[in-house]
């Protein structure tokens, strides 16, 4: 799971880095429409491949994990789900965090990192009570989710509600994938899960 997460983040960085000069220019010129278009362009290029990878891995991930570890470790399906779901929000927030870094909005990044760290630590604290490794995945997921919400709130303070509405689509898409995944973990119904995710894919490409 850690390997997949690192690969996904490297992929996101490769896509986002060339966009940074344009994002900085859009900010300097106060060109919100172009800024929104560039952010959407990044998410359009990264969200769908990550979602497709997620869907393709689910049937085979346990076998791949056992081959990778030579059956020396037990695979935790729920932990895999929570960690992978956090990747969607990490992907969403990474370009915004990188953008804030480039325009010297360090104070926003401090709040962002504190929120992510505290949320994750609080979640990890509860592992002591239920002794379940999947709680670590839930903690990481909640940290990424809450820090994304904080970034959206920061953009609301800087740019206003219309701007936030225009950049929220892929955040909402990440939430929908998360809801579908949680329903799968609760009800063990793959039909509903794939139906919701494939419907989302169709909406993204049409």
């Amino acid at each position: 799971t850690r390997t997949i997460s690192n690969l996904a983040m490297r992929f996101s960085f490769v896509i986002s880095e060339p966009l940074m000069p344009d994002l900085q220019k859009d900010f300097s010129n106060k060109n919100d429409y172009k800024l929104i278009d560039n952010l959407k362009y990044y998410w359009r290029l990264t969200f769908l491949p990550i979602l497709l990878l997620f869907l393709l891995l689910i049937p085979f991930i346990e076998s791949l994990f056992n081959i990778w570890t030579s059956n020396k470790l037990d695979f935790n399906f729920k932990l895999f789900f929570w960690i992978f779901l956090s990747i969607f929000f990490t992907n969403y927030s990474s370009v915004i965090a990188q953008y804030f870094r480039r325009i010297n909005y360090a104070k926003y990044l401090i709040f962002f990192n504190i929120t992510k760290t505290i949320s994750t630590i609080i979640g990890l604290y509860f592992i002591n009570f239920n002794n379940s490794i999947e709680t670590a995945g839930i903690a990481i997921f909640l940290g990424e989710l809450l820090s994304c919400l904080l970034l959206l709130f920061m953009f609301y303070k800087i740019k206003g509600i219309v701007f936030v509405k225009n950049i929220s689509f892929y955040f909402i898409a990440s939430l929908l994938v998360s809801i579908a995944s949680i329903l799968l973990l609760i009800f063990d119904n793959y039909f509903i899960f794939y139906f919701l995710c494939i419907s989302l894919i169709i909406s993204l490409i049409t």
Side-chain angles (χ1 to χ4, degrees):
T1 303
R2 183 178 178 182
T3 302
I4 295 169
S5 176
N6 289 337
L7 287 173
M9 288 305 97
R10 287 178 186 175
F11 169 71
S12 297
F13 180 79
V14 167
I15 298 296
S16 65
E17 185 60 22
L19 286 175
M20 286 303 119
D22 287 337
L23 293 177
Q24 286 176 277
K25 186 194 301 184
D26 297 336
F27 177 78
S28 300
N29 295 335
K30 297 183 179 180
N31 190 342
D32 288 350
Y33 294 107
K34 189 71 184 300
L35 178 58
I36 289 168
D37 285 343
N38 279 322
L39 288 171
K40 285 182 175 179
Y41 175 73
Y42 163 81
W43 289 316
R44 189 162 55 247
L45 287 180
T46 57
F47 180 85
L48 190 57
I50 292 173
L51 177 56
L52 290 173
L53 177 63
F54 182 46
L55 298 180
L56 290 172
L57 277 176
I58 289 172
F60 311 107
I61 186 62
E62 185 168 3
S63 299
L64 292 172
F65 178 85
N66 290 333
I67 293 171
W68 182 268
T69 61
S70 300
N71 294 306
K72 292 179 180 178
L73 296 173
D74 293 328
F75 179 74
N76 190 305
F77 190 70
K78 291 183 178 180
L79 177 62
F80 163 76
F81 255 77
W82 289 114
I83 294 295
F84 211 108
L85 290 177
S86 71
I87 292 174
F88 288 100
F89 294 101
T90 304
N91 175 65
Y92 183 84
S93 66
S94 62
V95 67
I96 301 177
Q98 202 173 346
Y99 166 71
F100 280 155
R101 193 175 295 111
R102 291 295 187 93
I103 62 173
N104 296 318
Y105 272 36
K107 61 180 180 180
Y108 291 105
L109 287 178
I110 290 171
F111 288 122
F112 168 73
N113 290 323
I114 288 174
T115 299
K116 183 186 294 190
T117 302
I118 290 177
S119 302
T120 304
I121 290 174
I122 290 174
L124 288 171
Y125 175 75
F126 287 98
I127 294 176
N128 295 326
F129 294 96
N130 62 20
N131 196 30
S132 172
I133 189 62
E134 71 191 59
T135 310
I138 297 173
I140 294 169
F141 169 79
L142 289 176
E144 295 295 342
L145 172 61
L146 292 175
S147 59
C148 270
L149 287 170
L150 180 61
L151 285 178
L152 287 174
F153 177 73
M154 291 172 181
F155 256 138
Y156 164 72
K157 299 294 288 185
I158 299 169
K159 297 289 188 180
I161 188 64
V162 175
F163 186 94
V164 171
K165 285 181 178 179
N166 280 313
I167 65 168
S168 295
F169 177 81
Y170 287 94
F171 175 77
I172 294 170
S174 299
L175 280 177
L176 291 175
V177 174
S178 300
I179 291 170
S181 300
I182 292 169
L183 290 174
L184 171 60
L185 293 176
I186 294 173
F187 299 109
D188 195 28
N189 190 318
Y190 282 87
F191 175 79
I192 295 175
F193 171 75
Y194 276 101
F195 174 78
L196 291 174
C197 289
I198 292 172
S199 298
L200 178 59
I201 290 171
I202 293 171
S203 71
L204 291 172
I205 62 179
T206 56

